[in-house]
Amino acid sequence: ASKKMETTRAMMDAAEQNMKSSKKELEGAETFLKEVEKRWEVIDVDSEDERPKIKRRKVTLPEEASARPSTKKGSVQVEGCGLPEANGTYEYEQSDEGSSHVYFKKGKWNGKEATFKIIQTVGMWLAWCMRVNVDDDIIILYRRKCEENEGNRQPPEDDWKVMQGSMPGGYKREGEYPAPKLTYLQD
């Protein structure tokens, strides 16, 4: 009986250690998730409003960048993209919070109604992202990181990178080669 008690205690101690270890792992995952949410935009979809509401972390741009003239607002033509659905004319739209620039077009993705967007992301780096919103999914297609004094008012015309594979936060990356070229259209 004494040996059974020792074995039981040892098993309980091991279970308690596993529980503590799991708790630390969970805390680490929660910390990681918070970091990812700081780096990437977080989308809240309100069932009463079809448009996504974008939350962003505020970033102070260098004085010389913020002193540059505003964007050539209007339209952007996307061409040469490996995904024909993403090619076309994107219209300018100010985001709900007024801190980001968005170009969008309506289209189809795998036979479903979708919104394609070229959107400025802020966080640990300044970047532009071409993505598609379909149903409740956000699918990242292409991305272009920018230097602090570049691309903060309008998306760059070239040097976009194809995004493929999975990424933290449950986002899908389904870009196809070649990467797009952008051209600004005169209003």
Side-chain angles (χ1 to χ4, degrees):
S2 170
K3 188 154 185 127
K4 285 185 180 181
M5 289 293 281
E6 286 179 34
T7 303
T8 302
R9 274 195 201 118
M11 290 174 65
M12 288 179 66
D13 288 343
E16 190 173 322
Q17 288 293 69
N18 282 339
M19 187 174 72
K20 286 179 183 178
S21 174
S22 294
K23 187 175 180 179
K24 284 183 182 179
E25 190 174 328
L26 180 60
E27 289 170 355
E30 287 172 345
T31 301
F32 175 75
L33 179 60
K34 287 177 184 175
E35 278 296 310
V36 169
E37 287 174 345
K38 287 179 184 176
R39 292 181 190 169
W40 293 94
E41 64 189 6
V42 177
I43 305 295
D44 289 335
V45 179
D46 183 351
S47 60
E48 296 174 27
D49 183 0
E50 293 294 319
R51 262 177 84 195
K53 294 180 179 174
I54 301 169
K55 294 182 180 178
R56 299 194 179 282
R57 190 171 80 170
K58 301 277 186 196
V59 172
T60 304
L61 298 172
E63 284 185 26
E64 64 190 51
S66 59
R68 293 186 331 165
S70 188
T71 79
K72 299 175 195 172
K73 295 178 183 172
S75 303
V76 174
Q77 184 70 32
V78 173
E79 298 175 308
C81 181
L83 293 164
E85 305 94 321
N87 288 326
T89 303
Y90 289 68
E91 301 297 325
Y92 178 82
E93 172 185 83
Q94 187 72 28
S95 76
D96 290 342
E97 297 191 11
S99 63
S100 176
H101 302 286
V102 179
Y103 294 81
F104 76 98
K105 78 174 190 106
K106 298 289 185 182
K108 296 244 184 221
W109 181 261
N110 294 328
K112 295 181 179 180
E113 295 296 319
T115 302
F116 291 82
K117 292 186 175 188
I118 303 170
I119 186 165
Q120 181 184 41
T121 61
V122 292
M124 293 206 50
W125 57 82
L126 175 65
W128 284 85
C129 180
M130 185 180 297
R131 69 184 201 194
V132 59
N133 294 24
V134 60
D135 294 330
D136 291 331
D137 291 329
I138 296 173
I139 302 163
I140 310 297
L141 306 175
Y142 304 95
R143 187 177 73 174
R144 170 65 154 76
K145 284 187 181 179
C146 301
E147 298 300 321
E148 286 184 12
N149 61 352
E150 166 195 52
N152 58 354
R153 298 286 185 235
Q154 61 194 38
E157 295 179 350
D158 54 16
D159 295 327
W160 287 77
K161 303 295 181 223
V162 176
M163 302 300 289
Q164 295 179 328
S166 61
M167 63 188 289
Y171 294 109
K172 299 174 186 174
R173 296 189 295 187
E174 297 182 10
E176 294 287 334
Y177 290 95
K181 298 272 186 204
L182 279 62
T183 307
Y184 292 94
L185 304 175
Q186 298 295 326
D187 289 336

